[in-house]
Amino acid sequence: MNVTELRPGNYFEDENCLYQVLDILLNKTAMRKMVAKVKVKNVRTGAVTEIARNSGYDVELVSVTKSPMQYLYDGGETLVFMDPKSYEQVELPKNTLENEIPYLAPNGEVTIITYEDEVLGVVLPSKVALEVIDCEPGVRGDTITNGGSKDAVLETGLKVRIPLFIDKGEKVYIDTATGKYDKRA
């Protein structure tokens, strides 16, 4: 496939590296070939870089498999996921999922991306419901000093700011892209 035909979300292989396209900018100036500046994420290392290629450059588009999985438990050095249909379990190293761990509650749904039997990563849903296990009591009328919010610790250990009206034991939705409170569950 020509590099100018890539779109965000595509996966391709180039120079023995597997990349996911995050963004692409096509630049055409007078008397020059079109240059594609592609913002990519190396799916094996997690590094985000920008590569520039001329319009005649070909890359190999690859097909990845996206499988819905359920997070089961923390197995020490690994995290254990299960396919809800076949009950097949997959263990992934904990150190490769450091950014996802605060949003993984037991029985939470995720999508696991694989390429030729190699697990590339975990995609979280846009919002997850987590239980508030500790928060300070909200004081009526205390909206000036705290802006109408208070600190809370969720069941996964994630610390967020939540509105004063939410109490310990309630569930809240957290936006996984920003790590902030979204709404009451």
Side-chain angles (χ1 to χ4, degrees):
M1 171 184 254
N2 193 309
V3 72
T4 59
E5 297 171 2
L6 291 172
R7 298 292 170 253
N10 287 151
Y11 290 83
F12 70 95
E13 202 163 21
D14 185 37
E15 299 173 356
N16 294 326
C17 291
L18 189 61
Y19 296 110
Q20 177 187 11
V21 178
L22 301 176
D23 196 16
I24 184 165
L25 176 67
L26 302 175
N27 188 4
K28 172 77 172 124
T29 57
M31 310 247 334
R32 286 193 65 208
K33 280 186 171 182
M34 184 180 300
V35 176
K37 290 184 179 178
V38 187
K39 185 176 182 182
V40 294
K41 177 182 179 183
N42 185 321
V43 293
R44 291 187 178 112
T45 65
V48 176
T49 57
E50 184 174 276
I51 57 175
R53 301 284 189 259
N54 287 333
S55 64
Y57 192 81
D58 287 335
V59 294
E60 184 181 340
L61 200 62
V62 297
S63 178
V64 296
T65 306
K66 296 180 180 181
S67 309
M69 294 274 201
Q70 187 177 38
Y71 171 64
L72 292 180
Y73 60 90
D74 182 342
E77 294 294 316
T78 62
L79 299 177
V80 181
F81 297 88
M82 178 186 72
D83 185 329
K85 292 179 183 163
S86 68
Y87 301 110
E88 177 186 338
Q89 293 185 3
V90 175
E91 290 187 29
L92 300 178
K94 192 187 254 186
N95 61 355
T96 62
L97 301 173
E98 291 173 359
N99 296 332
E100 289 85 356
I101 290 174
Y103 306 104
L104 292 174
N107 301 324
E109 298 292 323
V110 297
T111 302
I112 295 201
I113 299 174
T114 56
Y115 171 64
E116 295 180 351
D117 297 330
E118 176 187 2
V119 176
L120 300 176
V122 172
V123 177
L124 297 168
S126 61
K127 294 179 175 85
V128 292
L130 299 172
E131 183 179 344
V132 177
I133 59 165
D134 188 32
C135 65
E136 41 194 65
V139 179
R140 189 177 192 87
D142 187 20
T143 58
I144 301 212
T145 57
N146 289 327
S149 64
K150 59 186 177 182
D151 292 321
V153 177
L154 305 180
E155 64 184 297
T156 60
L158 182 66
K159 295 178 178 154
V160 295
R161 303 276 301 164
I162 60 172
L164 293 173
F165 59 83
I166 295 185
D167 295 319
K168 183 176 174 180
E170 291 187 58
K171 285 199 170 213
V172 294
Y173 281 109
I174 302 298
D175 186 327
T176 57
T178 63
K180 295 186 178 182
Y181 166 85
D182 186 57
K183 62 182 177 182
R184 184 187 264 171

